[in-house]
Amino acid sequence: MLQIEHELNNMKSSLLDMWDLVIKQLENSLLAIKTGDKDMAMTVQQQEKRVNSFELSIDRMCEDFIALYQPVASDLRFVLANLKINTNLERIGDFASGISEFITDSETSYQPAMIERMQIEQMLVSAIDMVKDLKEALMYEDTKLARTIFKRDKLLDQFNDQGSTLTLQCLEEFPDYKRQALHLLSIMRKVERVGDQAKNIAEEIIFFIEAKIVKHKKKKKE
């Protein structure tokens, strides 16, 4: 194996390890919300330090690779995509940590009926599936799978658009849990932002594989 291929494989392996950790953060956040497990929520926040460490390490790997090998064509696209995906994953980790903070700050477990009414579990499951599928899309260079993220992000947006209305309903139906209702609205907002970052990752995967920039084209269509 050529040295350049070895370096590219190391870079990809580190990114995928970071991806797994971010997915675990999201999954643990969902479990913590459903169970009220504060220890689980604290674990998510502690994992954020490892995510940040991955981000710094991968940034250095990409910068060193460009400086040493002056890559072109697909190798250059891969490194540039890695740099941006790395940032997107770190932000998703931030959102997962932020979600978990609402669990540790809450004096009592969230009311299951309110979680259901606010559609928190559906949103988080959808977001987790999106992040998992994007990892698979990169591993197998599957742009068809990556493109499914755009419609799925719009579904998350639709969930989020209902947030204010659903919160008002919860405030009326659960007057003793007003703070929880507002927390759940904030969680909805963070999950919607996870979808935005997932969409950005999908765009970078398509850029790497097809050498196509789809971000501005989608905006024009909208």
Side-chain angles (χ1 to χ4, degrees), residues 29-195:
S29 294
L30 174 58
L31 184 60
I33 290 171
K34 292 170 63 177
T35 62
D37 190 333
K38 292 181 182 291
D39 289 336
M40 181 69 71
M42 283 300 303
T43 297
V44 175
Q45 295 167 46
Q46 292 164 359
Q47 288 170 329
E48 179 61 12
K49 294 179 181 178
R50 288 184 58 203
V51 172
N52 291 341
S53 179
F54 266 119
E55 184 196 22
L56 294 174
S57 176
I58 293 169
D59 271 351
R60 284 195 296 268
M61 292 172 72
C62 292
E63 291 164 1
D64 291 346
F65 186 87
I66 291 173
L68 289 172
Y69 298 104
Q70 299 180 352
V72 296
S74 63
D75 287 346
L76 178 59
R77 293 198 307 274
F78 176 73
V79 177
L80 294 176
N82 257 29
L83 275 169
K84 292 186 178 180
I85 292 171
N86 182 39
T87 299
N88 295 137
L89 288 174
E90 190 277 332
R91 288 176 180 167
I92 292 174
D94 280 344
F95 292 130
S97 181
I99 289 169
S100 72
E101 289 176 7
F102 286 109
I103 290 90
T104 53
D105 290 346
S106 179
E107 295 180 358
T108 58
S109 298
Y110 285 95
Q111 296 299 303
M114 290 176 64
I115 294 173
E116 183 177 357
R117 173 61 63 85
M118 297 287 286
Q119 306 174 101
I120 298 296
E121 183 172 356
Q122 297 96 311
M123 285 188 72
L124 259 172
V125 168
S126 179
I128 292 167
D129 287 343
M130 289 165 68
V131 177
K132 286 181 175 179
D133 285 348
L134 283 167
K135 180 190 173 191
E136 184 175 334
L138 180 65
M139 289 175 62
Y140 299 105
E141 300 189 3
D142 187 345
T143 56
K144 184 177 180 181
L145 180 58
R147 280 187 165 86
T148 67
I149 299 302
F150 301 133
K151 287 185 177 180
R152 291 153 73 181
D153 176 56
K154 289 182 179 179
L155 289 175
L156 280 185
D157 291 341
Q158 291 173 12
F159 275 119
N160 188 56
D161 289 343
Q162 301 172 40
S164 296
T165 299
L166 295 173
T167 302
L168 288 173
Q169 292 175 4
C170 285
L171 289 171
E172 292 177 358
E173 294 182 31
F174 306 94
D176 295 333
Y177 298 96
K178 292 179 179 179
R179 184 173 176 174
Q180 285 195 9
L182 296 175
H183 280 185
L184 290 172
L185 176 62
S186 295
I187 289 172
M188 288 184 74
R189 303 299 191 225
K190 290 184 181 296
V191 178
E192 188 273 335
R193 293 296 292 149
V194 171

